[in-house]
Amino acid sequence: MTYIIIIISAIFVNNIVLNQFLGICPFLGVSKKIPTAIGMSGAVLFVLTLAVLVTWLIQHYVLDALGLQFLQTITFILVIAALVQMVEIILKKVSPSLFQALGIFLPLITTNCAVLGVAILTIQKDFNLLEGIVFAMSNAIGFGLALVIFSGIREHLDLMEVPKGMRGIPIALISAGILALAFMGFSNLV
């Protein structure tokens, strides 16, 4: 039952983008086309799950063991950056087709604050390793859901006649606000 609550909460109730406002930069920057949003969602799912796994292990077996909890943020930033670079190098050699599919999205994930935020939240919520991985995957799915829905809205807005002063980012921000309000309807679900 705990895992179901974690999943529903992370995807709908506490959506990482629409409720906690983490990952706004890729949310606005990569949401112009649905295929691009789907590619970014897949890359975030992969990297976020791997990052939470590695950072959880480092937190519990290195930082906590040595009493260095105050180094958590800087350690997590360095680990995530190194992890993304390592994944990029391995994918380039092992699976060039997957590297081509994720190519542009992997460097963007290095600066995605949602990855760091979920890694820190996993530790703050005192999840065990399995709960942390479920939490990470659920947040990535929630990020992807919001990104794909928002991409569909932006593609639809491109076909409409929007007043000249509202074209581009202004109407995108208004649409994102309305989408966040729609997700608030899930707030009493869990």
Side-chain angles (χ1 to χ4, degrees):
M1 189 65 170
T2 305
Y3 296 106
I4 293 171
I5 291 171
I6 290 172
I7 292 167
I8 291 171
S9 176
I11 293 173
F12 299 110
V13 179
N14 294 318
N15 187 288
I16 198 77
V17 177
L18 301 174
N19 189 320
Q20 298 180 28
F21 307 114
L22 293 173
I24 294 293
C25 185
F27 181 71
L28 292 173
V30 187
S31 62
K32 292 180 181 169
K33 300 288 179 196
I34 291 176
T36 309
I38 292 170
M40 182 65 169
S41 300
V44 167
L45 176 66
F46 179 70
V47 170
L48 187 57
T49 305
L50 195 58
V52 166
L53 172 69
V54 172
T55 55
W56 190 93
L57 292 171
I58 287 174
Q59 177 71 36
H60 283 53
Y61 294 111
V62 176
L63 297 178
D64 289 347
L66 299 174
L68 299 173
Q69 294 90 347
F70 62 93
L71 292 174
Q72 179 189 55
T73 304
I74 191 72
T75 303
F76 283 13
I77 290 170
L78 293 172
V79 166
I80 290 167
L83 190 64
V84 170
Q85 291 303 315
M86 209 166 51
V87 166
E88 191 172 356
I89 291 168
I90 291 169
L91 280 179
K92 195 173 191 178
K93 292 187 183 236
V94 174
S95 178
S97 61
L98 184 59
F99 175 75
Q100 289 296 330
L102 295 177
I104 190 169
F105 304 115
L106 282 173
L108 289 174
I109 294 172
T110 306
T111 59
N112 187 346
C113 60
V115 177
L116 177 63
V118 171
I120 291 174
L121 283 171
T122 301
I123 301 303
Q124 286 178 349
K125 291 178 183 278
D126 200 28
F127 286 144
N128 63 37
L129 183 58
L130 186 57
E131 289 171 341
I133 291 171
V134 169
F135 182 68
M137 291 176 76
S138 300
N139 272 295
I141 291 168
F143 178 85
L145 177 68
L147 189 62
V148 170
I149 290 171
F150 190 56
S151 294
I153 292 170
R154 287 190 72 178
E155 281 187 3
H156 186 69
L157 284 172
D158 287 343
L159 302 174
M160 299 180 69
E161 282 201 35
V162 178
K164 189 174 183 179
M166 296 296 291
R167 291 184 187 144
I169 294 296
I171 195 68
L173 290 174
I174 291 169
S175 300
I178 293 170
L179 184 59
L181 285 172
F183 267 71
M184 283 180 63
F186 295 116
S187 62
N188 288 328
L189 192 61
V190 176

